DNA sequence: TTGTATGCGTTATCAC
DNA sequence: GTGATAACGCATACAA
């Protein structure tokens, strides 16, 4: 009928036999409109398939549509979806847009890439940047200050702690993992640690593990400590090492710093003819959606990715909307849980 | 001094002693302004620290920097990442933005939600929309025409075929799966079919399977056919059914229409005390990254998600940049592969 | 080459 | 309760 243009508020008004003002009211302030009129307008809206134009809306109501940039190293990371959903939900509720920027993969000069991303977003006029899974050494402080855009760290933190960060208390969670293993009768525990140079969570988990070992006065030889880079294959390889020393260490359980590595480790154990958890118990870290699909299902530390995403975005919005209030820097720890499934056996 | 209000074009105009139109011109069409005037305006702009209001700009002039909308039902779907990476890569190379819009979850009125998303994107001034994983019944034709924005389907197709679609040839791939199973000595094959009302790939795979059965003249009783909704749990449940009729059907292999269902099915088989592939072979569909992490690793049809994303975006960009050329409608099939791993046993 | 006036789709301020 | 109508900030057809 009417070309290819969407219905506007005028069309609705005309069809409903009211003024545009009234239509606007039923949409934004329903109580101030008589019930009967409201019904007429609603039906017109439905029949015209009308939805308000966001652009015009923000122009009129002064409220600029703000957009915040989200920097993420790798969309293919399993927890990305949940994290993003949390951010997205919060953003949508506040009528703000997200500009997603994935760090270019396979970059050698990590630093440059991050800086590029920052600049790119700056030029895209974002009002704030959510920076995920990257550790920020203090060399960046200067550059970040110059950016003049508020930053919030997600799942990682700033070396000097002057940038607000949302995550769980990795050190404590790792400690709790050890405590759990101990409560299930395990004494000789190995660790597949995640050490990377651009992400400090791995290190914190490592420290937490060590504290647990110390607190419970458990034996620990170098052969029980092994490293990987967070992914499935790394876990597999790391477990191979652990297994090669098994005759010496006699470990009965393994703490893996990421679920992916835990799953790789499970596979490795199976391939070597042993069983999980009968021969070796394994506890993971993340509670990815896939850890419920493995065989055996993974016992693991559950990170509230959705909440973390939501809260970080929420805080960012506060910063943007009330710049005076000043951002509360430092780490904001969200609650985690230990999810008990099938990969840890109780020793009797 | 200036409170917290940004300078507007009028302020610049006044300070430079020109009209707003002129200011607008030096910004958008510099050649049409006398050099000297231009300089005056520029200096005014600089001294006022003026930057155009993007919102007002878009409201006024429909056109702006190109951005294409991407509608996706659920970010948490395992293949989303690869698909998006393909799109993103192509987009970035062409300097165009992506506006990602996840369909609100748990919606009952699916149609309305999709329409909303379309409108939302339209009002966000996108130049084109990539619509993923949704089947478009022809009832939508009217509304889509009225939208006046080019659409490209990704991983699914349009009922009438008048909208270009990028995907693999599901029917043929399913047929090939059967052929593969047959070549490995299987004769009695069950299917866990994916039937949903908003996605026609499941149906196509079902048809392809049936064709295979017919072509190779294999036995097929109703007890060999079972349905699920694509996810892990559905696969588990479906396999339970299949197993309950196992004494009758004696199936030695199962074709699962999605990897997630295949993985759920594997778990189900294990839980029932049988083994994969020793007792029952299972072949999946998708080649998700996790199908390489399961035990046993999944033999499956590999969809080139990255390429599909890239090609669909590429085509969209062509449409946008050369509207005259006209979009080539119909299905564009990309190459798939059968990836042989561990979940199918050769019968001797 | 530059200025005037109007439209873009909503919201908000008045009146009635 | 509801209806005109003036902003909102910019682009642009039309004049000059």
């Amino acid at each position: 009928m009417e070309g290819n243009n969407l219905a506007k508020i005028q069309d609705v008004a005309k069809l409903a036999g009211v003024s545009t003002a009234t239509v606007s009211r039923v949409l934004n302030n329903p109580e101030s409109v008589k019930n009967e009129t409201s019904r007429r307008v609603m039906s017109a809206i439905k029949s015209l398939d009308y939805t308000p134009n966001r652009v015009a809306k923000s122009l009129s109501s002064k409220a600029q549509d703000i957009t915040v940039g989200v920097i993420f190293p790798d969309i293919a990371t399993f927890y990305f979806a949940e994290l993003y959903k949390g951010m997205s939900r919060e953003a949508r509720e506040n009528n703000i847009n997200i500009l997603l920027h994935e760090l270019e993969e396979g970059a050698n000069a990590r630093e440059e890439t991050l800086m590029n991303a920052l600049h790119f977003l700056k030029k895209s006029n974002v009002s704030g940047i959510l920076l995920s899974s990257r550790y920020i050494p203090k060399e960046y402080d200067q550059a970040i200050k110059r950016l003049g855009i508020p930053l919030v760290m997600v799942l990682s933190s700033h070396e000097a702690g002057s940038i607000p960060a949302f995550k769980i208390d990795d050190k404590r969670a790792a400690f709790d993992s050890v405590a759990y293993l101990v409560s299930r009768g395990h004494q000789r525990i190995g660790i597949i640690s995640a050490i990377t140079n651009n992400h400090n969570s791995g290190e914190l988990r490592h420290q937490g593990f060590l504290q647990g070992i110390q607190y419970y006065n458990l034996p620990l030889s170098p052969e029980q400590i092994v490293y990987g880079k967070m992914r499935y294959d790394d876990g597999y390889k790391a477990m191979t090492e652990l297994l090669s020393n098994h005759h010496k260490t006699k470990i009965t359980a393994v703490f893996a710093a990421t679920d992916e590595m835990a799953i790789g480790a499970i596979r490795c154990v199976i391939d070597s003819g042993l069983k999980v958890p009968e021969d070796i118990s394994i506890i993971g870290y993340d509670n990815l959606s896939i850890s419920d699909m493995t065989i055996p299902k993974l016992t693991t530390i559950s990170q509230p990715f959705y909440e973390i995403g939501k809260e970080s975005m929420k805080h960012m919005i506060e910063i943007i909307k009330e710049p005076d209030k000043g951002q509360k820097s430092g780490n904001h720890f969200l609650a985690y849980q230990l999810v008990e499934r099938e990969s840890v056996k109780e020793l009797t």
Side-chain angles (χ1 to χ4, degrees), chain A:
Chain A
M1 299 263 153
E2 65 281 72
N4 70 16
N5 282 328
L6 277 58
K8 25 180 154 184
I9 201 169
Q10 292 188 23
D11 303 323
V12 177
K14 183 155 48 172
L15 181 59
V18 298
S19 73
T20 60
T22 298
V23 177
S24 178
R25 285 193 196 98
V26 329
L27 252 26
N28 305 301
N29 200 5
E31 304 85 5
S32 70
V33 178
K34 207 164 71 179
N35 229 307
E36 136 98 34
T37 329
S38 185
R39 236 190 301 277
R40 256 196 356 262
V41 171
M42 285 307 286
S43 108
I45 287 180
K46 196 159 292 179
S47 89
L48 286 179
D49 220 18
Y50 165 82
T51 48
N53 179 317
R54 286 172 46 254
V55 178
K57 193 166 181 167
S58 32
L59 213 217
S60 171
S61 62
K62 201 90 173 180
Q64 295 279 342
D65 72 342
I66 45 191
T67 122
V68 346
V70 172
I71 296 181
F72 201 88
D74 183 4
I75 304 288
T77 307
F78 287 106
Y79 57 76
F80 167 75
E82 283 306 311
L83 199 64
Y84 186 83
K85 282 192 179 193
M87 297 175 180
S88 173
R89 176 73 187 288
E90 186 69 23
R92 213 181 270 192
E93 276 178 5
N94 285 274
N95 220 303
I96 96 170
N97 292 111
I98 289 181
L99 185 47
L100 176 60
H101 189 89
E102 187 182 14
L103 254 22
E104 310 242 355
E105 55 196 328
N108 34 12
R110 214 171 358 255
E111 294 201 359
E112 193 178 0
T113 301
L114 178 54
M115 217 53 228
N116 275 351
L118 255 19
H119 282 163
F120 174 85
L121 291 178
K122 160 108 183 181
K123 269 173 288 189
S124 296
N125 254 316
V126 301
S127 309
I129 296 177
L130 256 38
L131 183 48
S132 184
S133 300
R134 287 279 172 179
Y135 180 61
I136 305 277
K138 52 181 182 301
E139 291 90 89
Y140 269 86
D141 284 11
Q142 282 298 331
I144 287 175
K145 275 247 166 63
R146 252 180 298 162
L147 259 190
I149 296 181
L151 242 59
V152 167
M153 311 280 313
V154 186
L155 287 180
S156 59
S157 54
H158 177 53
E159 183 171 2
S162 57
I163 299 178
F166 289 78
K167 53 185 304 202
I168 72 171
D169 185 341
D170 287 294
K171 197 183 290 189
R172 196 155 76 81
F175 181 95
D176 283 359
S177 294
V178 174
Y180 170 77
L181 256 18
V182 169
S183 77
R184 293 306 181 269
H186 295 277
Q187 294 283 323
R188 295 180 304 281
I189 307 172
I191 177 175
I192 299 179
S193 188
I195 293 295
T196 71
N197 41 12
N198 66 329
H199 192 309
N200 63 340
S201 289
E203 198 175 333
L204 292 172
R205 293 172 201 177
H206 191 92
Q207 292 172 13
F209 172 83
L210 256 29
Q211 287 187 358
I213 294 292
Q214 189 171 8
Y215 182 86
Y216 290 104
N217 202 21
L218 305 179
L220 184 70
S221 70
E223 287 92 350
Q224 285 170 243
I225 304 177
V226 134
Y227 299 89
K229 278 184 182 176
M230 319 200 78
R231 306 307 289 248
Y232 177 85
D233 291 334
D234 307 311
Y236 191 101
K237 226 179 308 173
M239 193 67 206
T240 308
E241 279 188 67
L242 242 28
L243 249 28
S244 72
N245 292 314
H246 192 228
H247 62 285
K248 271 189 61 181
T249 61
K250 305 284 189 197
I251 55 175
T252 61
V254 170
F255 167 77
T258 73
D259 273 5
E260 267 198 73
M261 291 203 296
I263 295 172
I266 290 179
R267 173 71 190 208
C268 177
V269 171
I270 307 248
D271 282 355
S272 75
L274 298 175
K275 285 184 176 174
V276 177
E278 289 78 2
D279 299 309
I280 289 193
S281 291
I282 294 182
I283 188 168
Y285 198 109
D286 278 343
N287 193 26
L288 302 180
S289 56
I290 52 170
S291 35
D292 197 34
M293 299 166 47
T294 56
I295 302 174
K297 296 187 179 182
L298 200 59
T299 289
T300 186
I301 292 291
S302 173
Q303 293 207 63
F305 292 113
Y306 181 89
E307 286 301 326
I308 290 175
K310 194 165 161 61
E311 288 304 313
S312 54
M313 180 61 84
K314 193 173 193 172
H315 184 56
M316 175 56 85
I317 293 175
E318 281 172 8
I319 294 177
I320 294 175
K321 292 194 171 168
E322 305 180 63
D324 329 306
K325 234 173 120 183
Q327 40 185 270
K328 26 183 182 175
S329 60
N331 294 325
H332 299 247
F333 291 137
L334 279 79
Y336 59 85
Q337 281 182 292
L338 195 155
V339 181
E340 195 169 20
R341 286 199 274 252
E342 308 168 339
S343 64
V344 173
K345 177 191 174 191
E346 171 137 28
L347 259 38
T348 51

